[in-house]
Amino acid sequence: MTQVHEYAIKRILSAIPVLFIVSFTIVALIRMVPGDPAVIMLGTDADPEQLAALRESMGLNQPLYIQYIDYMSGVVRGDFGYSYMGGQSVTDAILQRLPITISVAIGGFIVSLAIAIPAGTISAVKQDTSSDYAALTFGLLGVSIPNFWLGIMLLMVFAVWFGWFPVTGYVSPLDDPIEGIRYLVLPSITLGTAMAAIVTRMLRSEMLEEIRMEYPDSLRMKGVSEMTVLRHVMKNAFIPVITVIGMQVGYLLGGTIVIEEVFSIPGMGRLLLDAIYSRDYMMLQGVVLVYTAMFIAVNAIVDITYFYLNPKLQDR
């Protein structure tokens, strides 16, 4: 077993207690939110005896730790319970919406890297030129502009005025690739711009540090081409940038909540907001838990990738 495999196993095992601590916190906090699930299901005119019987059948009279164990024993089997509003299976609702949210997040990720890698590289190689200043300006604007405002502006210009893209809605790229991409373009740009700005600034900074070291000049003195030198510089500069990218992927998932609301995309974000508006605590609990699990999984993957790419960590 290699060091990378050992580290991966340790990292995955360390994520399990984190997930349980976070899940217990989520369940406890949601129980503290004002509102009685029994009243939500039966209505405010319900008989007190009926309300008491429903609370008893749902286990709401049990201590918090018992409710948590019952809930997590179902989650481990893939059962997130049933919605208080309509009785829909929370697992089925999440499975229907999750692919949509993931496709939006992947679109934002692709857009961010498509912008950040060339912009950060050109900015570092062409330091103190107009290209460098343009990249720095983009980086400043990208982290300064709220993504919901950017989304509204993109909708007004490219969907309403020019009619190039649909205003709202969603079509799966798996059902209709061309139409699906048209629906994803504006949400992806909106979601990926902030991440692109952060990664551009980080990549520029790391590449400048590498360029100022001695080994690029040593490579040139050996007759190595500029493209090969740049490849070595980018390879070394990318190791710390990967950590930033991983953290931003987690924030991308959170950012989909706002993006889906702005573009009326029926994903997990809108499911979460609908659960909050209707006080559907079981649905809210399940969606938040899935978002948390994805965030923890992404961070674990980033840490393992960082360990794999950084020889200094493997030598310790």
Side-chain angles (χ1 to χ4, degrees), residues 10-48:
K10 290 179 182 176
R11 186 63 184 81
I12 292 170
L13 291 177
S14 69
I16 294 174
V18 174
L19 185 59
F20 276 99
I21 292 172
V22 173
S23 62
F24 181 79
T25 305
I26 292 169
V27 171
L29 289 176
I30 288 179
R31 295 296 186 277
M32 296 178 187
V33 175
D36 187 344
V39 175
I40 294 172
M41 294 179 71
L42 297 179
T44 54
D45 299 329
D47 186 87

Side-chain angles (χ1 to χ4, degrees), residues 97 256-257 260-261 264-275 291:
R97 305 292 189 99
T256 56
I257 297 172
E260 289 175 7
E261 182 67 11
S264 297
I265 299 173
M268 289 265 290
R270 292 203 70 192
L271 186 64
L272 176 69
L273 294 176
D274 291 342
Y291 267 113

